[in-house]
Amino acid sequence: MKPDDERLPVVDIAAERRRRARDGAMRRRLADRLVPGLPVDADAAELRIPEVRVGSLMGTLVEELTAVREPFFDMVCERWKDVCPDVPARPGRYRDGRLFLYVGTSGLVFSLRPKLAKIKKRLLALPGAPAARRLSLHLEVHGSVRAR
């Protein structure tokens, strides 16, 4: 008998079965591709286990860590179609009292510029809106933007 401190760790039986099935399939794949008489590579591609690359995780992680939640901007995004149904733009970002509306073309920038005062007035009527002098609207062209 082994003392309690020398016992082996408990293994998740389902995970162990999946690992053994995966390893068996990889060994069979290697055996199918072997050419008699040729040496086997020490790091055969058939035996490699695919790993998640760190770079694929970084974009989402950085986005979540740097995102600042703004209740006013969240409300604008939720109610955009109700507040401004006839405007071919969508809320893009909000920072320091500046609300950026994304449009698809530069022609829309010129056509919407005279309507910004009316849009601002509608947005200031929303609950939780900042003071009128603290909110400014800006238009930006983003080529793949469609009014949603």
Side-chain angles (χ1 to χ4, degrees):
M1 283 280 213
K2 293 182 179 180
D4 288 338
D5 58 355
E6 291 183 21
R7 285 189 181 164
L8 295 173
V10 177
V11 177
D12 181 11
I13 294 174
E16 183 68 18
R17 285 183 181 153
R18 286 191 306 269
R19 185 189 63 77
R20 286 184 182 194
R22 179 199 66 206
D23 291 350
M26 289 189 317
R27 283 192 299 274
R28 284 189 298 277
R29 190 177 332 122
L30 177 64
D32 290 343
R33 295 181 181 171
L34 285 179
V35 176
L38 292 179
V40 177
D41 188 9
D43 182 28
E46 292 83 4
L47 297 178
R48 293 183 190 150
I49 299 169
E51 296 292 330
V52 176
R53 295 185 181 259
V54 175
S56 67
L57 303 173
M58 293 304 293
T60 307
L61 181 64
V62 169
E63 226 175 80
E64 288 178 10
L65 290 174
T66 59
V68 176
R69 301 288 178 222
E70 292 284 346
F72 172 67
F73 183 65
D74 293 339
M75 182 174 294
V76 168
C77 291
E78 286 175 19
R79 295 179 154 184
W80 181 252
K81 282 293 184 188
D82 300 330
V83 175
C84 300
D86 56 337
V87 177
R90 69 175 175 87
R93 67 180 191 275
Y94 177 74
R95 181 176 289 162
D96 300 326
R98 294 177 167 192
L99 177 61
F100 292 87
L101 301 176
Y102 291 170
V103 296
T105 64
S106 58
L108 285 174
V109 170
F110 291 108
S111 68
L112 288 178
R113 192 175 292 151
K115 298 179 183 179
L116 286 179
K118 184 178 176 183
I119 295 171
K120 181 178 178 179
K121 192 174 188 179
R122 289 181 185 176
L123 293 176
L124 288 173
L126 292 174
R133 66 180 182 275
R134 296 208 56 219
L135 178 66
S136 63
L137 298 181
H138 305 271
L139 296 168
E140 279 189 6
V141 177
H142 286 257
S144 62
V145 174
R146 287 186 210 133
R148 294 181 187 184

